[in-house]
CSV table of all heavy atoms in Angstrom, one decimal:
chain,number,residue,atom,x,y,z
A,231,PRO,N,18.8,-2.2,33.6
A,231,PRO,CA,17.8,-3.0,34.2
A,231,PRO,C,17.1,-2.3,35.3
A,231,PRO,O,15.8,-2.4,35.5
A,231,PRO,CB,18.5,-4.3,34.6
A,231,PRO,CG,19.6,-4.4,33.7
A,231,PRO,CD,20.1,-3.0,33.5
A,232,GLU,N,17.9,-1.7,36.2
A,232,GLU,CA,17.3,-1.1,37.4
A,232,GLU,C,16.4,0.1,37.0
A,232,GLU,O,15.3,0.3,37.6
A,232,GLU,CB,18.4,-0.6,38.4
A,232,GLU,CG,19.3,-1.7,38.9
A,232,GLU,CD,20.3,-2.3,37.9
A,232,GLU,OE1,20.5,-1.6,36.9
A,232,GLU,OE2,20.9,-3.3,38.2
A,233,HIS,N,16.9,0.9,36.1
A,233,HIS,CA,16.1,2.0,35.7
A,233,HIS,C,14.8,1.6,35.0
A,233,HIS,O,13.7,2.2,35.2
A,233,HIS,CB,16.9,2.9,34.7
A,233,HIS,CG,16.2,4.2,34.4
A,233,HIS,ND1,16.2,5.3,35.3
A,233,HIS,CD2,15.4,4.6,33.4
A,233,HIS,CE1,15.5,6.3,34.8
A,233,HIS,NE2,15.1,5.9,33.6
A,234,ILE,N,14.8,0.6,34.2
A,234,ILE,CA,13.6,0.2,33.4
A,234,ILE,C,12.6,-0.4,34.4
A,234,ILE,O,11.4,-0.2,34.2
A,234,ILE,CB,14.0,-0.8,32.3
A,234,ILE,CG1,14.8,-0.1,31.2
A,234,ILE,CG2,12.7,-1.5,31.8
A,234,ILE,CD1,15.2,-1.0,30.1
A,235,THR,N,13.0,-1.1,35.5
A,235,THR,CA,12.0,-1.6,36.5
A,235,THR,C,11.4,-0.4,37.2
A,235,THR,O,10.2,-0.5,37.5
A,235,THR,CB,12.7,-2.5,37.5
A,235,THR,OG1,13.7,-1.8,38.2
A,235,THR,CG2,13.3,-3.7,36.8
A,236,SER,N,12.1,0.7,37.4
A,236,SER,CA,11.5,1.9,38.0
A,236,SER,C,10.6,2.6,37.0
A,236,SER,O,9.5,3.1,37.4
A,236,SER,CB,12.6,2.9,38.4
A,236,SER,OG,13.4,2.3,39.5
A,237,ILE,N,10.9,2.7,35.7
A,237,ILE,CA,10.1,3.2,34.7
A,237,ILE,C,8.7,2.4,34.6
A,237,ILE,O,7.6,3.0,34.6
A,237,ILE,CB,10.7,3.2,33.3
A,237,ILE,CG1,11.9,4.2,33.2
A,237,ILE,CG2,9.7,3.4,32.2
A,237,ILE,CD1,11.5,5.6,33.2
A,238,TYR,N,8.9,1.1,34.7
A,238,TYR,CA,7.7,0.2,34.6
A,238,TYR,C,6.8,0.5,35.8
A,238,TYR,O,5.6,0.6,35.7
A,238,TYR,CB,8.1,-1.2,34.5
A,238,TYR,CG,7.0,-2.2,34.5
A,238,TYR,CD1,5.9,-2.1,33.7
A,238,TYR,CD2,7.2,-3.4,35.2
A,238,TYR,CE1,4.9,-3.0,33.6
A,238,TYR,CE2,6.2,-4.4,35.1
A,238,TYR,CZ,5.1,-4.2,34.3
A,238,TYR,OH,4.1,-5.1,34.2
A,239,ALA,N,7.4,0.6,37.0
A,239,ALA,CA,6.7,0.8,38.3
A,239,ALA,C,6.0,2.1,38.2
A,239,ALA,O,4.8,2.3,38.7
A,239,ALA,CB,7.6,0.7,39.5
A,240,SER,N,6.6,3.1,37.7
A,240,SER,CA,6.0,4.5,37.6
A,240,SER,C,4.8,4.5,36.6
A,240,SER,O,3.8,5.1,36.9
A,240,SER,CB,7.1,5.5,37.1
A,240,SER,OG,8.2,5.5,38.0
A,241,GLN,N,5.0,3.8,35.5
A,241,GLN,CA,3.9,3.6,34.6
A,241,GLN,C,2.7,3.0,35.2
A,241,GLN,O,1.5,3.4,35.1
A,241,GLN,CB,4.3,2.8,33.3
A,241,GLN,CG,5.3,3.5,32.5
A,241,GLN,CD,5.8,2.6,31.3
A,241,GLN,OE1,5.4,1.4,31.2
A,241,GLN,NE2,6.7,3.1,30.5
A,242,ARG,N,2.9,1.9,36.0
A,242,ARG,CA,1.8,1.2,36.6
A,242,ARG,C,1.2,2.1,37.7
A,242,ARG,O,-0.1,2.0,37.9
A,242,ARG,CB,2.3,-0.1,37.2
A,242,ARG,CG,2.9,-1.1,36.2
A,242,ARG,CD,3.2,-2.4,36.8
A,242,ARG,NE,2.0,-3.1,37.3
A,242,ARG,CZ,2.0,-4.2,38.1
A,242,ARG,NH1,3.2,-4.7,38.5
A,242,ARG,NH2,0.9,-4.8,38.5
A,243,LEU,N,2.0,2.9,38.4
A,243,LEU,CA,1.4,3.8,39.4
A,243,LEU,C,0.4,4.7,38.7
A,243,LEU,O,-0.6,5.1,39.4
A,243,LEU,CB,2.5,4.6,40.0
A,243,LEU,CG,2.2,5.6,41.1
A,243,LEU,CD1,1.5,4.9,42.3
A,243,LEU,CD2,3.4,6.4,41.6
A,244,LEU,N,0.6,5.1,37.5
A,244,LEU,CA,-0.3,6.0,36.7
A,244,LEU,C,-1.4,5.2,36.1
A,244,LEU,O,-2.2,5.8,35.3
A,244,LEU,CB,0.5,6.8,35.7
A,244,LEU,CG,1.4,7.9,36.2
A,244,LEU,CD1,2.5,8.3,35.2
A,244,LEU,CD2,0.5,9.1,36.6
A,245,GLY,N,-1.5,3.9,36.3
A,245,GLY,CA,-2.6,3.1,35.7
A,245,GLY,C,-2.3,2.6,34.3
A,245,GLY,O,-3.2,2.2,33.6
A,246,LEU,N,-1.0,2.6,33.9
A,246,LEU,CA,-0.6,2.2,32.5
A,246,LEU,C,0.1,0.8,32.6
A,246,LEU,O,1.1,0.7,33.3
A,246,LEU,CB,0.3,3.2,31.9
A,246,LEU,CG,-0.3,4.6,31.8
A,246,LEU,CD1,0.8,5.6,31.4
A,246,LEU,CD2,-1.4,4.6,30.7
A,247,GLU,N,-0.4,-0.2,31.9
A,247,GLU,CA,0.2,-1.5,31.9
A,247,GLU,C,0.7,-1.8,30.5
A,247,GLU,O,-0.1,-2.2,29.6
A,247,GLU,CB,-0.8,-2.6,32.3
A,247,GLU,CG,-0.2,-4.0,32.4
A,247,GLU,CD,1.1,-4.1,33.1
A,247,GLU,OE1,1.1,-4.1,34.4
A,247,GLU,OE2,2.2,-4.2,32.4
A,248,LEU,N,2.0,-1.4,30.2
A,248,LEU,CA,2.5,-1.4,28.8
A,248,LEU,C,3.5,-2.5,28.5
A,248,LEU,O,4.0,-2.6,27.4
A,248,LEU,CB,3.2,0.0,28.6
A,248,LEU,CG,2.3,1.2,28.8
A,248,LEU,CD1,3.1,2.5,28.6
A,248,LEU,CD2,1.1,1.2,27.8
A,249,ARG,N,3.7,-3.4,29.4
A,249,ARG,CA,4.7,-4.5,29.2
A,249,ARG,C,4.3,-5.4,28.0
A,249,ARG,O,5.1,-5.8,27.2
A,249,ARG,CB,4.9,-5.3,30.4
A,249,ARG,CG,6.0,-6.3,30.3
A,249,ARG,CD,6.3,-7.1,31.5
A,249,ARG,NE,5.1,-8.0,31.8
A,249,ARG,CZ,5.2,-9.0,32.7
A,249,ARG,NH1,6.2,-9.2,33.4
A,249,ARG,NH2,4.1,-9.8,32.9
A,250,SER,N,3.0,-5.6,27.8
A,250,SER,CA,2.5,-6.5,26.8
A,250,SER,C,2.1,-5.7,25.5
A,250,SER,O,1.6,-6.3,24.6
A,250,SER,CB,1.3,-7.3,27.2
A,250,SER,OG,0.2,-6.4,27.6
A,251,SER,N,2.4,-4.4,25.5
A,251,SER,CA,2.1,-3.6,24.3
A,251,SER,C,2.9,-4.0,23.1
A,251,SER,O,4.0,-4.4,23.2
A,251,SER,CB,2.4,-2.1,24.6
A,251,SER,OG,2.4,-1.3,23.5
A,252,ILE,N,2.3,-3.9,21.9
A,252,ILE,CA,3.0,-4.2,20.7
A,252,ILE,C,4.2,-3.3,20.5
A,252,ILE,O,5.2,-3.7,19.9
A,252,ILE,CB,2.0,-4.1,19.5
A,252,ILE,CG1,1.4,-2.7,19.3
A,252,ILE,CG2,1.0,-5.2,19.5
A,252,ILE,CD1,0.6,-2.5,18.1
A,253,PHE,N,4.1,-2.1,21.0
A,253,PHE,CA,5.2,-1.2,20.9
A,253,PHE,C,6.4,-1.6,21.7
A,253,PHE,O,7.6,-1.5,21.3
A,253,PHE,CB,4.8,0.2,21.4
A,253,PHE,CG,3.7,0.8,20.6
A,253,PHE,CD1,2.6,1.3,21.3
A,253,PHE,CD2,3.7,0.8,19.2
A,253,PHE,CE1,1.5,1.9,20.6
A,253,PHE,CE2,2.6,1.3,18.5
A,253,PHE,CZ,1.5,1.9,19.2
A,254,ALA,N,6.2,-2.2,22.9
A,254,ALA,CA,7.2,-2.8,23.7
A,254,ALA,C,7.8,-4.0,23.0
A,254,ALA,O,9.0,-4.2,23.0
A,254,ALA,CB,6.7,-3.1,25.1
A,255,GLN,N,7.0,-4.8,22.5
A,255,GLN,CA,7.4,-6.1,21.8
A,255,GLN,C,8.2,-5.7,20.6
A,255,GLN,O,9.3,-6.4,20.4
A,255,GLN,CB,6.2,-6.9,21.4
A,255,GLN,CG,5.4,-7.4,22.6
A,255,GLN,CD,4.1,-8.2,22.1
A,255,GLN,OE1,4.0,-8.4,21.0
A,255,GLN,NE2,3.3,-8.5,23.1
A,256,ASP,N,7.8,-4.7,19.8
A,256,ASP,CA,8.5,-4.4,18.6
A,256,ASP,C,9.9,-3.8,18.9
A,256,ASP,O,10.9,-4.0,18.2
A,256,ASP,CB,7.7,-3.5,17.7
A,256,ASP,CG,6.5,-4.2,17.0
A,256,ASP,OD1,6.5,-5.4,17.1
A,256,ASP,OD2,5.7,-3.5,16.5
A,257,GLU,N,10.0,-3.0,19.9
A,257,GLU,CA,11.2,-2.4,20.3
A,257,GLU,C,12.2,-3.5,20.8
A,257,GLU,O,13.4,-3.5,20.4
A,257,GLU,CB,11.0,-1.4,21.5
A,257,GLU,CG,12.3,-0.7,22.0
A,257,GLU,CD,13.0,0.1,21.0
A,257,GLU,OE1,12.4,0.6,20.0
A,257,GLU,OE2,14.3,0.4,21.2
A,258,ALA,N,11.7,-4.4,21.6
A,258,ALA,CA,12.5,-5.6,22.0
A,258,ALA,C,13.0,-6.4,20.8
A,258,ALA,O,14.2,-6.8,20.8
A,258,ALA,CB,11.7,-6.4,23.0
A,259,ARG,N,12.1,-6.6,19.9
A,259,ARG,CA,12.5,-7.4,18.7
A,259,ARG,C,13.7,-6.6,17.9
A,259,ARG,O,14.6,-7.3,17.5
A,259,ARG,CB,11.3,-7.6,17.8
A,259,ARG,CG,11.6,-8.2,16.4
A,259,ARG,CD,10.4,-8.3,15.6
A,259,ARG,NE,9.7,-7.0,15.5
A,259,ARG,CZ,10.0,-6.0,14.7
A,259,ARG,NH1,11.0,-6.2,13.9
A,259,ARG,NH2,9.3,-4.9,14.7
A,260,GLU,N,13.5,-5.3,17.8
A,260,GLU,CA,14.6,-4.5,17.1
A,260,GLU,C,15.9,-4.6,17.9
A,260,GLU,O,17.0,-4.7,17.3
A,260,GLU,CB,14.1,-3.1,16.9
A,260,GLU,CG,13.1,-2.9,15.8
A,260,GLU,CD,13.7,-3.3,14.5
A,260,GLU,OE1,14.8,-2.8,14.1
A,260,GLU,OE2,13.0,-4.0,13.7
A,261,ARG,N,15.8,-4.6,19.2
A,261,ARG,CA,17.0,-4.6,20.0
A,261,ARG,C,17.7,-6.0,19.8
A,261,ARG,O,18.9,-6.1,19.7
A,261,ARG,CB,16.7,-4.4,21.5
A,261,ARG,CG,16.2,-3.0,21.8
A,261,ARG,CD,17.3,-2.0,21.6
A,261,ARG,NE,16.7,-0.6,21.6
A,261,ARG,CZ,17.4,0.5,22.1
A,261,ARG,NH1,18.6,0.3,22.6
A,261,ARG,NH2,16.8,1.7,22.1
A,262,ASP,N,16.9,-7.0,19.8
A,262,ASP,CA,17.4,-8.4,19.5
A,262,ASP,C,18.1,-8.5,18.2
A,262,ASP,O,19.2,-9.0,18.0
A,262,ASP,CB,16.3,-9.4,19.6
A,262,ASP,CG,15.8,-9.7,21.0
A,262,ASP,OD1,16.5,-9.2,22.0
A,262,ASP,OD2,14.8,-10.3,21.2
A,263,LYS,N,17.5,-7.9,17.2
A,263,LYS,CA,18.1,-7.9,15.8
A,263,LYS,C,19.4,-7.2,15.8
A,263,LYS,O,20.4,-7.6,15.2
A,263,LYS,CB,17.1,-7.3,14.8
A,263,LYS,CG,15.9,-8.2,14.5
A,263,LYS,CD,14.9,-7.5,13.6
A,263,LYS,CE,15.4,-7.1,12.3
A,263,LYS,NZ,14.4,-6.4,11.4
A,264,ARG,N,19.5,-6.0,16.5
A,264,ARG,CA,20.8,-5.3,16.5
A,264,ARG,C,21.9,-6.0,17.2
A,264,ARG,O,23.0,-5.9,16.9
A,264,ARG,CB,20.5,-3.9,17.2
A,264,ARG,CG,19.6,-3.0,16.4
A,264,ARG,CD,19.3,-1.7,17.2
A,264,ARG,NE,18.1,-1.1,16.7
A,264,ARG,CZ,17.5,-0.1,17.3
A,264,ARG,NH1,17.9,0.3,18.5
A,264,ARG,NH2,16.4,0.4,16.8
A,265,LYS,N,21.5,-6.9,18.2
A,265,LYS,CA,22.5,-7.6,18.9
A,265,LYS,C,22.8,-9.0,18.2
A,265,LYS,O,23.6,-9.8,18.7
A,265,LYS,CB,22.0,-7.9,20.3
A,265,LYS,CG,21.9,-6.7,21.2
A,265,LYS,CD,21.5,-7.0,22.6
A,265,LYS,CE,20.2,-7.6,22.7
A,265,LYS,NZ,19.7,-7.8,24.1
A,266,GLY,N,22.1,-9.2,17.1
A,266,GLY,CA,22.3,-10.5,16.4
A,266,GLY,C,21.6,-11.6,17.0
A,266,GLY,O,21.9,-12.8,16.7
A,267,VAL,N,20.6,-11.4,17.8
A,267,VAL,CA,19.9,-12.5,18.4
A,267,VAL,C,18.7,-12.8,17.6
A,267,VAL,O,17.9,-12.0,17.2
A,267,VAL,CB,19.4,-12.0,19.8
A,267,VAL,CG1,18.5,-13.1,20.5
A,267,VAL,CG2,20.5,-11.7,20.7
A,268,ILE,N,18.6,-14.1,17.2
A,268,ILE,CA,17.4,-14.6,16.4
A,268,ILE,C,16.5,-15.3,17.4
A,268,ILE,O,16.7,-16.4,17.8
A,268,ILE,CB,17.9,-15.5,15.3
A,268,ILE,CG1,19.0,-14.9,14.5
A,268,ILE,CG2,16.7,-15.9,14.5
A,268,ILE,CD1,18.5,-13.6,13.8
Side-chain angles (χ1 to χ4, degrees):
E232 296 78 14
H233 187 80
I234 290 179
T235 59
S236 293
I237 291 289
Y238 181 43
S240 301
Q241 293 175 358
R242 296 187 68 191
L243 182 62
L244 286 160
L246 302 167
E247 180 51 76
L248 302 177
R249 188 178 66 168
S250 60
S251 165
I252 58 174
F253 302 128
Q255 295 174 12
D256 287 349
E257 178 66 20
R259 174 182 50 80
E260 283 298 312
R261 296 288 168 150
D262 287 347
K263 286 172 63 178
R264 291 173 202 169
K265 292 185 297 185
V267 176
I268 306 301

